Amino acid sequence: MSTLKVTAFPWVPPFAQGLVRDLRVRWACEEAGLPYEQVLLQGDDQKSASYRAKQPFGQVPVLEDGDFSLFESAAIVFYIAEKSGKLMPAGLQDRARTVSGMFAALNSVEPHITQLNVIDLFNPDKEWAKLRRPEQEQVVRGRLASLSTWFGDRQYWVGDSFTIADLLLVTVLRNLRHTKILADYPNLQAYRDRGESRPAFQRALAAQMANFG
Ligand SMILES: N[C@@H](CCC(=O)N[C@@H](CS)C(=O)NCC(=O)O)C(=O)O
């Protein structure tokens, strides 16, 4: 059996360190007990035709499993769950709930947080960003309030088992770390903390951060 390989960056700016999406893949591998190696992109690797053939947008992560390669971090963690038989519950309906959680994380929550981060991290001094920020924070808060109400006192998205829905949603919520917003939704903050305190997450984070010196 070949060792899985995941692409990553040798350096990113401090605001992105610990958030780059290869973290999701590392975390899934650690949870599933599948060994992996990282492949650091150097120089213009991102722009090369051979890399673009594997990732059309020149981004990380790409997973390679022997001759097979896959892009999109959510598809990759789904593949790792399928391959390992872990991180997904048994049963049609619980599996469907897990997929629902994956889409909720990436389609209903992450885009709004991304918009806030476009303002806070990439354009903090721009006039348009200052004008837009209060409303964008309200949009994020609206999503978190709805999610918090629905989530209630759950431990994880589906029952008591950690799944790839949790893995994705925790990494999405981490993207608010430069703000104090999550503190206003204690059950979501506790959920994020629960995810981050998992030993597999800590190993994954340490492996990504080790690249940044
Ligand atoms: N939807 C993609 C997004 C991948 C993505 O945004 N990767 C970022 C790092 S987190 C990247 O490679 N950025 C560098 C670039 O776009 O040039 C996924 O989930 O895999």
Side-chain angles (χ1 to χ4, degrees):
M1 200 170 68
S2 57
T3 301
L4 298 176
K5 294 185 178 154
V6 58
T7 58
F9 292 127
W11 185 85
V12 294
F15 70 76
Q17 294 179 7
L19 298 176
V20 191
R21 286 177 176 81
D22 57 274
L23 181 70
R24 292 172 174 170
V25 181
R26 295 174 192 271
W27 189 5
C29 286
E30 293 285 356
E31 292 280 357
L34 294 181
Y36 72 93
E37 292 170 2
Q38 66 175 3
V39 177
L40 294 179
L41 300 184
Q42 308 286 354
D44 281 342
D45 287 355
Q46 265 181 286
K47 298 181 184 158
S48 71
S50 61
Y51 193 70
R52 294 281 167 145
K54 294 174 193 161
Q55 217 293 1
F57 314 108
Q59 297 179 311
V60 306
V62 165
L63 180 84
E64 294 192 302
D65 186 3
D67 293 337
F68 172 72
S69 91
L70 191 64
F71 69 99
E72 286 296 339
S73 57
I76 296 170
V77 300
F78 189 80
Y79 177 78
I80 290 168
E82 296 268 277
K83 184 179 170 85
S84 65
K86 297 182 180 161
L87 297 169
M88 283 283 276
L92 177 66
Q93 292 176 355
D94 278 347
R95 292 171 75 82
R97 285 191 186 100
T98 303
V99 173
S100 167
M102 296 170 72
F103 278 97
L106 300 187
N107 199 18
S108 300
V109 182
E110 186 172 41
H112 304 294
I113 295 177
T114 300
Q115 285 304 309
L116 190 65
N117 287 353
V118 166
I119 292 170
D120 289 351
L121 304 179
F122 291 96
N123 298 284
D125 299 326
K126 303 263 175 59
E127 201 52 37
W128 68 262
K130 290 177 190 161
L131 291 170
R132 173 70 193 155
R133 196 187 186 289
E135 195 175 324
Q136 189 58 41
E137 180 171 331
Q138 284 316 307
V139 172
V140 169
R141 285 183 175 279
R143 285 291 142 147
L144 295 179
S146 301
L147 183 63
S148 174
T149 301
W150 179 86
F151 204 80
D153 60 2
R154 288 162 202 252
Q155 286 289 105
Y156 290 116
W157 192 271
V158 181
D160 291 334
S161 303
F162 179 85
T163 68
I164 47 176
D166 303 301
L167 187 152
L168 292 175
L169 184 52
V170 167
T171 59
V172 166
L173 295 177
R174 278 172 55 71
N175 287 319
L176 285 168
R177 70 178 182 182
H178 68 287
T179 76
K180 294 190 166 65
I181 293 173
L182 206 58
D184 292 336
Y185 309 91
N187 61 339
L188 298 183
Q189 181 164 260
Y191 170 68
R192 183 207 58 192
D193 293 348
R194 200 173 302 129
E196 289 183 348
S197 67
R198 294 176 71 85
F201 174 84
Q202 291 297 325
R203 288 195 296 274
L205 181 63
Q208 179 178 102
M209 294 300 290
N211 291 323
F212 309 138

